[in-house]
Amino acid sequence: MTSTTSPAPREDGRADDELRPIRFTRHWLDHAAGSVLVEFGKTRVLCAASASEGVPRWRKGSGLGWVTAEYAMLPAATNTRSDRESVKGRIGGRTHEISRLIGRSLRAIVDYKALGENTIQIDCDVLQADGGTRTAAITGAYVALADAVAHLRAQGALKGEPLTGSVAAVSVGIIDGVPRLDLPYVEDVRADTDMNVVMTGDGGFVEVQGTAEGAAFARAELDALLDLAAGGCAELIRLQREALGS
Amino acid sequence: MTSTTSPAPREDGRADDELRPIRFTRHWLDHAAGSVLVEFGKTRVLCAASASEGVPRWRKGSGLGWVTAEYAMLPAATNTRSDRESVKGRIGGRTHEISRLIGRSLRAIVDYKALGENTIQIDCDVLQADGGTRTAAITGAYVALADAVAHLRAQGALKGEPLTGSVAAVSVGIIDGVPRLDLPYVEDVRADTDMNVVMTGDGGFVEVQGTAEGAAFARAELDALLDLAAGGCAELIRLQREALGS
Amino acid sequence: MTSTTSPAPREDGRADDELRPIRFTRHWLDHAAGSVLVEFGKTRVLCAASASEGVPRWRKGSGLGWVTAEYAMLPAATNTRSDRESVKGRIGGRTHEISRLIGRSLRAIVDYKALGENTIQIDCDVLQADGGTRTAAITGAYVALADAVAHLRAQGALKGEPLTGSVAAVSVGIIDGVPRLDLPYVEDVRADTDMNVVMTGDGGFVEVQGTAEGAAFARAELDALLDLAAGGCAELIRLQREALGS
Amino acid sequence: MTSTTSPAPREDGRADDELRPIRFTRHWLDHAAGSVLVEFGKTRVLCAASASEGVPRWRKGSGLGWVTAEYAMLPAATNTRSDRESVKGRIGGRTHEISRLIGRSLRAIVDYKALGENTIQIDCDVLQADGGTRTAAITGAYVALADAVAHLRAQGALKGEPLTGSVAAVSVGIIDGVPRLDLPYVEDVRADTDMNVVMTGDGGFVEVQGTAEGAAFARAELDALLDLAAGGCAELIRLQREALGS
Amino acid sequence: MTSTTSPAPREDGRADDELRPIRFTRHWLDHAAGSVLVEFGKTRVLCAASASEGVPRWRKGSGLGWVTAEYAMLPAATNTRSDRESVKGRIGGRTHEISRLIGRSLRAIVDYKALGENTIQIDCDVLQADGGTRTAAITGAYVALADAVAHLRAQGALKGEPLTGSVAAVSVGIIDGVPRLDLPYVEDVRADTDMNVVMTGDGGFVEVQGTAEGAAFARAELDALLDLAAGGCAELIRLQREALGS
Amino acid sequence: MTSTTSPAPREDGRADDELRPIRFTRHWLDHAAGSVLVEFGKTRVLCAASASEGVPRWRKGSGLGWVTAEYAMLPAATNTRSDRESVKGRIGGRTHEISRLIGRSLRAIVDYKALGENTIQIDCDVLQADGGTRTAAITGAYVALADAVAHLRAQGALKGEPLTGSVAAVSVGIIDGVPRLDLPYVEDVRADTDMNVVMTGDGGFVEVQGTAEGAAFARAELDALLDLAAGGCAELIRLQREALGS
């Protein structure tokens, strides 16, 4: 990815269209069918894919598989310790929202028939948070999912290729009027507009979620952010492929 | 709004860029500072704005007000009765997600300083659901909010004009390859891509949430949906103004 | 109903033994098997009856149907907004109590054998509260139930006539020493004694719940209240019949 | 209490208007300000009254005291073990209903001003259930309350006499057409009509809760039940006085 | 048990190696298969064993039985009233911990094959707490269990002798440097080290749980406590046998 | 630590009194005052110590600090995925029990006066579980706590040395009659007796928790296990010191 010049330099010295250092450490866990510790700079998410025979009751007998995801954050992941949701006895709205987003994103590239009546459960646990935890989670979850699928294939449990493509996600935002890629926490809190974009390996959009934090944003800004995100996702897809050695 | 021709006619006979019949019944409740029964076709949402002195503890002494929202659906609002979240003892992810969306959308046009240390709580209860409940809720919530603000002004409780603009929302989607505005339930379930767009009265974007239900969508499709949504929101803004008699 | 003279006139000008204006709007919802918006003055309750095949597990194979009810109040229904029970994560004692009362009242006039293994779930949601919400809910629930039964009959799902009668309810109370019928909120809070009476169409008692709010009440007062309630229920039964067009 | 003849003899040989053997064992606990193990035949309820300085936040500074009650049943109290509400994580409707009833009944004979800003919390735990647990609980709770008041008086914590009277409760019902007093479980399940009546020491009604279990009941039956209950409560009041040695 | 001399006399005059007065009142409940009110001085625990056919789902078809236990404390059992866990909506850590301990202790002497596919549920409810509630609960639970087993045997529901031994428990602690047996509350709060020991009738250890409340304890102290506990458990086993008349 | 010969070799080739490879990775997190990833073989626990000014309400104004701990396990940490406690809405008994154990263990070596009115919250999250997660958690928690204390000292927030010593923990058990140190999962499930021992740096016992999984254990076995644990804890204390570079 070529860096472009920008008037206000980023605190970490990156170009506006440059990703943070991305790292995938596969097989981080011994038990899970697939697992990866994904890092977007200081953001660190442990993605684990557990495969089990069978599907939820409402899907039994359909011949179709199921993929679902849960997102959570360790209490000490953030700057200021946050309370445990298990202790509070209820899951917060933000957690719910992100879990659902990850699940939808993955399901966009899954062929349930080929998966057969197997369930893959993805757990994305944020060990350290520095902005972009949901996009790191999606990007890592795909790698864990790919490993879990390979694991199921090795066991002869599949009826075809369940992955119809790959998926990655990145955040973009407008800081002081400048569109930027992959925001760390310090930029995220200052962003006027904040957008998370999930894309497939062949450049299709799976999710676009843009929010005006301050003033509403114009169509031209939206367009610039989408361009920036498309570039970032393409790079992430390349890095995923590299990590998976394919 | 001029209707355009479209190859596959909609079940309710509307043009692709045509809203369902929109109706605002203001002052539907006697107690709330502002209330409106908003209807987008058969979708019927009761929006109530309760105003109270003071703000949540974490905001005390700041001189700033607070606006928050809760969304819920009556059990019999949908085709098949759904269980009560109060009975289940927990709020579902979808409910959380929509409540947060409504709150963010309204806050985009609120000047907290002018509101002073007052809280406006918006309740959006879906009495009947036929697609687009969240967009109807946002659109109606603005009207209830405007009435609540007028109520506070009449009481001399404000420090200026707390509303910096207006806000409305509409759903758009691609059905059988055709972009359509304001989807009822029958279209919603068939949509390949589903998008909710929240816009201000002067045409800025507050929220853009697009989801590929089936295949990922291309940038051109995204652009077409945004165009359609902009038209729909402009019309809704006009109808809100009409309803508010301003 | 003839009005009687009374020393202290009621705020709304009614005679002591006069009901508030009663209104039933049937088929208020498109999906539910039966639905009615019932109004006792400003008290407005949406009663929806959902019919489904089958019965709870503990009743399966018995050949008997089941009727159950849930009562809830929208947050903005009351003078001062009340918190949502779904948000609090638990149902309050009052809600529990009233849900159970409605269920028992309806079950008093249901023949489970004739209903067959079908379940009718009644939801009574108070949209606006001005006293007597539980009695309005019971009175409206009967109408919704009757419509749901008609719906099941039209589908050929019944084994006979499941309704052995009709049921209605009214509140009575002693205000400043005077027994009064159908108390609105302003009277309710001032009542020394408060009683809710549920009766069948042929004048039998289903529930009698009297509570001394201040001093204990004498047998003579109890007798006067029962007389007043019997008159009110008879009138409500007449209005139900009228609404149902039978 | 003189026994009357009745066509169908009761299983335990009692006359229709005869109470079960009633026993109060005061000071059953060492810590509570007042405590009594009350027995209505095999029904055994431990009533404990805990006194503490201060009142709930919403009542602070009012100069008024507070009395509240909680009812619960041990899992093994009934014929078939019931699940613990603490394990289920929610309180059932019946428990809520009875707790509220006990609280209201006691508050009917309390002068809050004389109590001063003290709180008395009554716990009624059913150790063994054989019908009439709520009426035994109310009847015993009064004795525990009286002891707690004496305890507070000895401490010089009162501003007058907080008890304006005494209160007792009994169940009545119609079994095979015959009105009967103080129903044990075997009669309770067979009753056509079931009524709980709470009365003060000077013969006033505090609560009347009658329910038709089968067919609706006639006014004459209601009158007969009220007569029977009045006799039973008078006898219980006498026994309370005897137990309290006053 | 012979008493030994000790420098600092205990408040209740016991020797350091002397149990409080122990009392077992069997058949305290009419319904439960086995029940006992066990008293360790002022500590009073009602232990009820409910027997039911069948086992939890995960054990079905195994031919094995199941024994489980729940511990709870009445609100007024302690010096200062504690809140009800059912009202708080969650079970506290201490309750969980003790319930699990009781279950494990009993399971140590149960032969599941001989029990057959029957479940025995033990409920230990502390009616009054004065230290050592968990050890009293275990000791009493064994007696209730033995009675429940006898009950099942009388019904011909067993496949052999399910009890492979007996089990009892006692607390020990170091107070002012002196090891003491069976601590009441006043000693418990002052103990430097606190240990609960569960032993079988033939002198084996089932559970040893020692905790340094203040400074860590030395091996010699640990040894002294274990000696003391062994003596106490032996005496309790003798008393259990006596109570069971065997 | 010298290895001894043993008849049955361990699956991982260790001597019976040999620890698994122990690893402490300090400063694993950027935000927490202290953090360490501790590994006991494949068991991996992330311990984070968050320091904050102030203490819980019940301790305010006492001049004393507070140390507390929470333990949790990621869903994919175990062989078979376990459900999230946040999703279940309640914390399990085992989690509660271990959280309390960690807290007590740490508090045994803390001088609250020297800590001043500061709170240190320790989070122990098991990322991968292979037996001994609670002992690894305690051992790691001490290191994180030491780092957090150093952090507070650097800020000048302390009133002295809050750590009166160090603390470590290890599991021991009897497998096929042979006492063994530091059990991995495969040994843990086969153990007849299982014990967790927490000791201070100067060889005192903080907690001893022994459980007979199968048959009760004899005093001689208990003694052998305590010897083994003492050796293991001494070695862990040495490794902690090494890791802390002191």
Side-chain angles (χ1 to χ4, degrees), chain B residues 10-233:
Chain B
R10 303 177 82 166
E11 296 204 8
D12 54 12
R14 276 187 289 149
D16 292 329
D17 64 351
E18 195 180 343
L19 293 170
R20 290 178 282 181
I22 307 294
R23 192 148 55 133
F24 299 98
T25 309
R26 281 167 71 202
H27 310 307
W28 207 82
L29 297 173
D30 290 293
H31 308 309
S35 70
V36 66
L37 181 72
V38 61
E39 294 169 83
F40 276 38
K42 288 183 177 173
T43 288
R44 233 177 274 175
V45 184
L46 178 53
C47 302
S50 307
S52 58
E53 259 184 276
V55 284
R57 194 178 315 192
W58 52 270
R59 218 175 166 86
K60 260 178 196 158
S62 66
L64 304 174
W66 185 238
V67 173
T68 184
E70 282 174 13
Y71 166 97
M73 209 182 261
L74 292 198
T78 44
N79 242 316
T80 307
R81 186 183 181 275
S82 49
D83 289 338
R84 249 169 233 278
E85 295 187 322
S86 60
V87 169
K88 289 193 284 185
R90 51 177 75 190
I91 288 184
R94 182 181 173 279
T95 298
H96 256 148
E97 205 170 299
I98 301 179
S99 292
R100 287 158 55 88
L101 172 65
I102 300 171
R104 281 200 310 273
S105 298
L106 295 175
R107 289 193 288 264
I109 49 117
V110 170
D111 175 350
Y112 286 133
K113 237 180 227 163
L115 182 53
E117 288 204 13
N118 294 294
T119 294
I120 300 179
Q121 163 86 41
I122 314 276
D123 288 289
C124 299
D125 286 90
V126 179
L127 305 186
Q128 183 159 285
D130 185 31
T133 61
R134 81 187 71 188
T135 51
I138 292 166
T139 306
Y142 169 73
V143 175
L145 174 63
D147 274 334
V149 162
H151 172 90
L152 285 172
R153 185 176 299 114
Q155 294 187 324
L158 300 179
K159 305 191 161 181
E161 172 52 64
L163 299 182
T164 64
S166 64
V167 72
V170 79
S171 71
V172 286
I174 300 181
I175 287 95
D176 303 332
V178 183
R180 283 185 175 160
L181 182 68
D182 188 19
L183 312 185
Y185 181 72
V186 290
E187 291 183 349
D188 194 37
V189 294
R190 286 179 48 222
D192 299 315
T193 293
D194 185 13
M195 186 173 293
N196 292 294
V197 178
V198 184
M199 297 184 76
T200 56
D202 50 10
F205 290 90
V206 172
E207 289 271 343
V208 173
Q209 298 199 338
T211 298
E213 299 292 342
F217 50 96
R219 179 67 177 269
E221 292 174 306
L222 178 51
D223 288 342
L225 289 173
L226 289 167
D227 290 343
L228 205 52
C233 282

Side-chain angles (χ1 to χ4, degrees), chain C residues 57 90, chain E residues 87-88:
Chain C
R57 192 179 315 189
R90 53 176 74 191
Chain E
V87 169
K88 288 192 286 186

Side-chain angles (χ1 to χ4, degrees), chain D residues 220-235:
Chain D
E221 291 174 307
L222 177 49
D223 288 343
L225 289 173
L226 289 168
D227 290 343
L228 205 52
C233 282
E235 174 67 3

